[in-house]
Amino acid sequence: MPQHRIAVLPGDGIGPEVMGEARKVIEVVAARFDFAISSEEFLVGGAALDATGNTTPLPEETLNGCESSDAILFGSVGGPKWEELPPDIQPERGALLPLRKHFGLFANLRPGVCHPSLIDASPVKNSLIPDGFNVLCVRELTGGIYFGSPKERREENGEEVAIDTMVYRRSEIERIAHVAFQAAQGRRKKLCSVDKANVLQNSRLWRETVVEVAKGYPDVELSHLYVDNAAMQLIRYAPDYDVIVTGNLFGDILSDEMAMISGSLGMLPSASLGEPDEDGRNFGLYEPSGGSAPDIAGQGIANPIAQILSLAMLLRYSLAETAAADSIEAAVEKAIGDGFRTGDIFSGAEGEKQVGTAGMGAAIVERL
Ligand code: IPM
Ligand code: MG
């Protein structure tokens, strides 16, 4: 029987609540698909700051726990309680970014799916997206302006200046382009690369490199958009897009836009992956695309679907438990099809049943 080991980092806000539902799903699929999985919990984010007297949001023990696992299932971090701390130890900058960098998780996959039965939850007119849409955003995650140096504040001619540096190396662009082309091959074979090549040097390198890599994928139709235009086109007609590949900062912004037009952040999972090993297995960090939602934390009303679908991605990419991943995705579809709705996706239409976090979790578990 395969033995897997995952590190579970629930974090803050709604993280622990939605993680509770994902853990129930883990138990059920492990039994049903005949594998053993040990899942140990570790502190991260504000929870870790509280436990360490505001020393670190990413304790050594958590990092070690992640290192000895096959994958990380992450909840969410941050909240008003920790916003006034020095930037370097704030939950987002002090935990999430270092985790991505430490494990070389350069490829961030963010599916933006608007389920046809949930088009009422989208702010886009129903008439524009009658069948919903399904766009995969592939965001470069360990380079670009997030990590380039210098990154500092200093004084120049008696005035304060702040500097961030946007750097992309050809090799960084190549590897993310390969991930995106391969993802497109498994889908509708369309890839749109997003840059700002009319202004930025590193976007010119980005575009040249993507065009070069495209030669190895003649079956994929490649297009290019400037990021400002991409922001418009996604709202105008998202169903036109299949896979989008872009740099760290543009991907951060466009993936939030995509999440919004898909209806609810509470539905969208994400995977952050490094280079696969020889057996095609991949260490990764899996987390909901949404944040810790402190405004609704502790009320038992958060949508657990993003966390549960993140678990499905973990099973697919890091543990190669494809059947289990398929069954979770099917169970989620079925629960939605049967009318179960948390508040964020409830429209009041006939046949809808409003449920809380645990109710949605139970509806999914029953359908596994
Ligand atoms: C995201 C988040 C993070 C990012 C923040 C929390 C550092 O917005 O995962 O999209 O900017 O990458
Ligand atoms: Mg973001």
Side-chain angles (χ1 to χ4, degrees):
M1 194 196 287
Q3 303 275 339
H4 306 298
R5 185 172 171 156
I6 65 173
V8 175
L9 279 51
D12 311 317
I14 60 170
E17 295 163 53
V18 294
M19 192 64 88
E21 300 311 310
R23 297 199 73 144
K24 293 179 195 160
V25 172
I26 298 177
E27 298 307 316
V28 178
V29 291
R32 172 142 173 236
F33 293 95
D34 235 15
F35 57 86
I37 188 161
S38 77
S39 49
E40 202 181 334
E41 272 195 23
F42 297 96
L43 292 171
V44 75
L49 286 164
D50 287 351
T52 61
N54 284 346
T55 318
T56 172
L58 184 61
E60 202 58 39
E61 204 194 334
T62 302
L63 203 56
N64 292 340
C66 294
E67 257 167 9
S68 52
S69 299
D70 303 312
I72 305 168
L73 187 61
F74 194 94
S76 49
V77 292
K81 185 173 175 191
W82 307 283
E83 266 164 21
E84 303 303 321
L85 292 173
D88 285 353
I89 61 161
Q90 280 179 16
E92 297 87 341
R93 270 185 50 191
L96 201 50
L97 298 185
L99 272 173
R100 289 173 182 169
K101 197 70 179 172
H102 181 83
F103 290 104
L105 307 176
F106 69 90
N108 183 218
L109 311 185
R110 296 190 167 178
V113 178
C114 181
H115 198 276
S117 64
L118 296 180
I119 57 175
D120 283 333
S122 170
V124 174
K125 284 194 201 89
N126 286 3
S127 58
L128 293 175
I129 47 166
D131 304 315
F133 56 83
N134 185 331
V135 184
L136 176 68
C137 179
V138 177
R139 167 187 175 194
E140 199 292 325
L141 202 60
T142 51
I145 200 163
Y146 273 56
F147 293 98
S149 64
K151 189 178 201 61
E152 64 190 21
R153 289 169 75 136
R154 62 180 183 228
E155 227 178 274
E156 260 173 33
N157 307 323
E159 193 182 17
E160 233 186 331
V161 295
I163 297 170
D164 294 278
T165 308
M166 187 159 176
V167 191
Y168 268 115
R169 272 163 251 288
R170 188 178 280 275
S171 56
E172 287 176 302
I173 305 168
E174 277 168 0
R175 66 182 183 177
I176 193 72
H178 283 292
V179 170
F181 277 107
Q182 283 159 23
Q185 281 183 321
R187 295 171 47 109
R188 303 194 302 279
K189 302 191 168 53
K190 280 166 65 171
L191 178 64
C192 178
S193 171
V194 173
D195 60 37
K196 188 71 186 172
N198 50 347
V199 177
L200 301 177
Q201 281 295 351
N202 69 67
S203 279
R204 266 175 231 142
L205 179 62
W206 181 278
R207 195 175 282 217
E208 279 166 33
T209 308
V210 171
V211 166
E212 200 55 40
V213 173
K215 293 181 184 153
Y217 301 89
D219 53 330
V220 176
E221 182 195 319
L222 174 66
S223 62
H224 305 271
L225 282 178
Y226 297 140
V227 62
D228 48 348
N229 190 15
M232 285 201 306
Q233 298 304 331
L234 274 175
I235 291 185
R236 191 185 64 85
Y237 196 57
D240 257 357
Y241 297 90
D242 178 17
V243 180
I244 286 176
V245 64
T246 191
N248 207 342
L249 180 63
F250 301 157
D252 178 45
I253 299 166
L254 291 181
S255 62
D256 261 32
E257 181 185 335
M258 236 172 48
M260 172 47 71
I261 61 173
S262 77
S264 173
L265 263 178
M267 299 286 298
L268 304 182
S270 77
S272 304
L273 306 171
E275 300 278 8
D277 63 20
E278 300 94 60
D279 339 315
R281 283 229 209 149
N282 220 325
F283 184 85
L285 180 151
Y286 301 82
E287 59 176 327
S289 282
S292 59
D295 53 321
I296 60 161
Q299 299 176 34
I301 59 172
N303 188 344
I305 290 180
Q307 190 74 63
I308 291 170
L309 290 177
S310 297
L311 169 66
M313 291 184 99
L314 182 156
L315 289 160
R316 186 180 304 286
Y317 295 114
S318 287
L319 307 187
E321 294 288 355
T322 314
D326 288 345
S327 87
I328 294 173
E329 285 162 4
V332 167
E333 288 269 314
K334 189 119 209 311
I336 292 166
D338 290 344
F340 290 90
R341 300 282 187 274
T342 41
D344 54 317
I345 50 174
F346 181 72
S347 74
E350 211 188 307
E352 289 190 355
K353 299 177 258 293
Q354 191 166 0
V355 290
T357 310
M360 183 61 94
I364 293 165
V365 164
E366 273 164 30
R367 285 161 182 77
L368 278 170

